[in-house]
Amino acid sequence: MTLRIHHRLFAGFLGVVGLLVVLIVVLVGRGLRRELTATYQDEVRRQLQLGEWIVGASPGAGLDSLARAITERIGYRVTVIAPGGVVLGDSYLDPDRVAEVDNHAGRPEVLAAQQGDLVFVERRSATVGETLLYGALRVIHDGDPVILRVAAPLTEIEATVDRVQRTIAATGASAMLLALLVAYFLSMALTRPLVQVAEKARGLARGGGEGRLPQTGVAELDDLTQAFNRLTDELAARLGELRRERDEMQALIDCMAEGVVALTDDARLLRTNRAANALLRLPDRVRFAPIGTLVRNPDLRAVLEESVVRAVQAREITVGGRHLLVSSRTLDTGGAVTTLLDVSEVRRLEQVRRDFVANASHELKTPLTTIRGFAEALLEEDPPDHLRERFLTLIRDNTLRLQRLVDDLLDLSRLESGGWMARSARISVADVAEEAWSAYAASAAEKDVEFSMDADVLARADASGLTQILRNLLENALRHTDAGGHVHVRARRDGGDVVVEVSDDGEGIPSRALPRIFERFYRADSSRARDFGGTGLGLAIVRHLVDAMGGTVTAESELGRGTTIRLVLPQDGGP
């Protein structure tokens, strides 16, 4: 019997629609189940990591109570298993029934956890009577290894797949019925949307499915495309969530002051944060590069390569003049995470403290030894009057030297600790210089001291602090200038600043010593300074006072030709 064309068209259209519906139901069911199963696996993995943290943070707690506590937080069944397979606790069983459970040593997930791997197994549980997704992880509790297993029910996956498949099947059936009525008018128009649906279904089965299906104007097909589009949106949302979590984690480690380096199990670079890139001077886009090709320092390279094999406790390594404290932890999934803490400033401060203690001890010991020696001579002997007077004079001079040293140490301690705050005001530099000079005018008769400053040169500074600065500078200039020498004090405006200079034509400072003269206890010519009673703290105090007043201090000198100390203070502004 010969069939008419519209019969063939009806039959062919009906067959195509039916085939597409079946194909969509099967492929969508497979693809959806695969994606949902993968999502559940990620969820179980995260819950295992949470459970590992809870077990590690709960020393002394019972394993059965721990299993129940973890279930209260994650909602899934939790089982704790001994390495030999004996069940130690199960959140779904009464404590008195735990001993009746079969040995779990042969369970695939338990075997994998024993070997340090994480695998997921689906099977029906004889205990709870439903299909579960199992995952297990080897954890440490009170120093002993146990297997932590999480089981998530798959009933929601099956129900979701069945629901989607029924929805798609119902939509396809409606489309088939409608096709019988309007196939003659819509057969050509429906060809393209159906092909698109088939392609979309195949793409979803392959794990793709990018892009959205357009509206066709046919209600049944629009329902189908909406279902696909919703599924695509859900997948895109899940992927976006994973990307956000990854970005948040990267932002978190980038905010850490310590450098963080994550390595694969074969010592390849997996991830770093900004601090690690700065410390190791790593170039951009070096993921999965062998760490040996990126780190040149042999000690650091050896520690990083060792870290993927065993944990490295805090180990200090010097890299490019910086002191790094390196620690690492191996990961159960392979690889390691290493932290790099820059302790250079701590080591520098420790050295400064040691130098300060040594210098202070030496400076205190010299006058104390002198005082003790002459005091014992006076007690044990009866020297002539001229010797007695000399001894007492030396004792007094060294006592005054000790007093100056203690006063300077107290001043310096107050400045460095922030206990002294500058009280800025507009003051006359000339008046402050005159007050500072009054303490030395009588003792400097043999030296030519000249002041070149106008009365209207005003600076914004602390009056007492500037007085102490000028006294220290004048004392240094007079001490290092021989009889007949020349000392010159100047003050001038320079833009919005006031420049104050104290110059002398004395012995000068060697160029090698010039960068260090503002350090505590440093003397360019220590023997001369001690002969004249210097403490080695004056210029350090000057530097701190000037900094507190918002100014700067510099030094210029030439050996045998004198020294100039230059202060730059604000004229109108202030700290």
Side-chain angles (χ1 to χ4, degrees), residues 134-335:
Y134 293 91
L137 188 67
R138 187 174 181 265
V139 300
I140 301 299
H141 178 259
D142 287 340
D144 297 322
V146 294
I147 306 301
L148 179 67
R149 189 181 70 177
V150 171
L154 297 179
T155 54
E156 292 184 8
I157 294 179
E158 300 297 340
T160 301
V161 173
D162 290 341
R163 185 167 55 253
V164 171
Q165 287 180 328
R166 284 196 303 270
T167 301
I168 296 173
T171 303
S174 299
M176 290 174 62
L177 292 175
L178 183 60
L180 293 174
L181 299 175
V182 297
Y184 181 78
F185 302 99
L186 299 178
S187 57
M188 296 300 298
L190 293 178
T191 303
R192 183 176 302 171
L194 290 175
V195 171
Q196 291 177 342
V197 170
E199 292 177 350
K200 184 70 175 179
R202 295 188 185 95
L204 187 61
R206 293 193 299 267
E210 294 80 2
R212 298 175 62 84
L213 289 174
Q215 298 294 313
T216 65
V218 179
E220 289 77 4
L221 289 178
D222 285 345
D223 289 342
L224 185 58
T225 57
Q226 288 174 7
F228 273 107
N229 289 337
R230 284 197 299 271
L231 183 58
T232 302
D233 292 341
E234 290 179 5
L235 290 176
R238 292 298 180 95
L239 292 175
E241 183 180 349
L242 291 176
R243 283 192 293 268
R244 284 193 299 273
E245 290 180 358
R246 179 197 62 195
D247 294 340
E248 289 171 0
M249 180 63 69
Q250 186 65 43
L252 178 63
I253 65 173
D254 281 341
C255 291
M256 296 175 61
E258 297 87 355
V260 178
V261 179
L263 301 175
T264 62
D265 53 3
D266 57 350
R268 292 179 179 271
L269 190 64
L270 181 61
R271 180 171 293 181
T272 60
N273 65 348
R274 292 193 185 99
N277 291 336
L279 289 172
L280 303 180
R281 298 178 181 177
L282 296 176
D284 295 335
R285 299 176 181 174
V286 293
R287 291 191 63 183
F288 301 109
I291 196 65
T293 64
L294 301 173
V295 178
R296 300 302 181 187
N297 184 278
D299 295 333
L300 180 58
R301 183 170 62 245
V303 170
L304 290 173
E305 291 176 346
E306 179 187 351
S307 67
V308 300
V309 179
R310 63 181 64 86
V312 176
Q313 300 300 325
R315 188 180 303 178
E316 188 169 324
I317 297 175
T318 302
V319 180
R322 308 179 75 127
H323 297 271
L324 302 181
L325 197 62
V326 183
S327 302
S328 72
R329 179 182 176 222
T330 57
L331 302 177
D332 294 336
T333 56

Side-chain angles (χ1 to χ4, degrees), residues 23 38 73 107 176 246 281 317 363 489 491 496 519 575:
L23 182 63
R73 287 168 173 79
R107 301 293 196 274
M176 290 174 62
R246 179 197 62 195
R281 298 178 181 177
I317 297 175
E363 294 296 332
V489 182
E519 297 179 10

Side-chain angles (χ1 to χ4, degrees), residues 367 371 393-404:
I371 292 172
T393 300
L394 291 172
I395 291 174
R396 182 198 62 190
D397 292 343
N398 280 276
T399 302
L400 292 175
R401 179 178 174 184
L402 278 176
Q403 182 179 351
R404 286 196 300 271

Side-chain angles (χ1 to χ4, degrees), residues 511-561:
S511 58
R512 60 175 176 79
L514 196 59
R516 299 189 57 191
I517 62 172
F518 292 103
E519 297 179 10
R520 294 173 294 184
F521 294 112
Y522 185 78
R523 297 187 180 94
D525 185 354
S526 57
S527 61
R528 179 183 177 94
R530 289 195 179 92
D531 291 341
F532 285 89
T535 64
L537 298 174
L539 289 181
I541 294 174
V542 167
R543 178 174 61 84
H544 283 286
L545 287 171
V546 173
D547 289 344
M549 289 188 285
T552 59
V553 58
T554 56
E556 297 177 359
S557 184
E558 186 176 348
L559 190 61
R561 305 194 60 178

